[in-house]
Amino acid sequence: MISIEGPMGQTQKIQSSASSFKRLGRKYPFIRYGLPMISLTVFGAVGLAHLLQGSKDITKVKEDQEWEILEARKALSRTGPVGAYKPKKISLEDELKALQQKVDINDYEYKKIPRPNEGKSS
């Protein structure tokens, strides 16, 4: 039981209100059990709906941005810059021949590679 410093009347008042609340809970179990359960369900559903709506809004904004980027790219391709670069077809054999002409494998010089423990002075 709650006891508060002060006149005895105030302590009696708090005790009587607490006992009347207990009596009310025994007399009407809906108030003690049903009302909290229903309110928890309703407020939980409202809160969940609020969170989902925020997620949907963010998704919509991202989709709108992606759509704008696609539209801008289509507009650029119609005017020219996106489709202006067209690489020529190159085969691997042609690339190999060009590389062999640039590099002479018969003309080389030996270079000594130092070992990991040679560079340290012990």
Side-chain angles (χ1 to χ4, degrees):
M1 294 206 195
I2 301 172
S3 94
I4 299 175
E5 290 182 17
M8 282 302 273
Q10 191 176 13
T11 307
Q12 289 291 335
K13 193 176 186 182
I14 292 172
Q15 287 176 350
S16 68
S17 68
S19 66
S20 69
F21 182 73
K22 285 182 183 178
R23 221 177 308 120
L24 190 66
R26 277 190 231 116
K27 191 173 181 183
Y28 303 106
F30 175 76
I31 293 175
R32 189 170 185 180
Y33 300 109
L35 197 61
M37 181 60 77
I38 289 173
S39 62
L40 182 69
T41 305
V42 169
F43 290 131
V46 169
L48 190 59
H50 184 70
L51 288 174
L52 286 174
Q53 186 62 41
S55 174
K56 286 179 184 177
D57 291 344
I58 290 172
T59 304
K60 187 174 186 289
V61 167
K62 284 184 180 179
E63 286 177 356
D64 289 345
Q65 288 174 349
E66 289 174 2
W67 183 256
E68 288 173 6
I69 290 170
L70 286 173
E71 287 298 316
R73 191 171 287 167
K74 283 181 185 174
L76 284 174
S77 67
R78 275 186 241 123
T79 56
V82 171
Y85 173 71
K86 294 184 179 170
K88 55 184 177 179
K89 305 284 184 194
I90 300 174
S91 67
L92 288 176
E93 290 84 12
D94 294 339
E95 285 294 317
L96 178 64
K97 287 178 186 174
L99 186 64
Q100 284 176 345
Q101 288 174 358
K102 287 181 187 175
V103 177
D104 185 18
I105 60 171
N106 295 323
D107 183 27
Y108 58 91
E109 82 181 56
Y110 288 107
K111 291 185 180 179
K112 185 177 179 182
I113 299 174
R115 294 182 181 160
N117 57 3
E118 275 184 12
K120 298 177 185 174
S121 58
S122 320

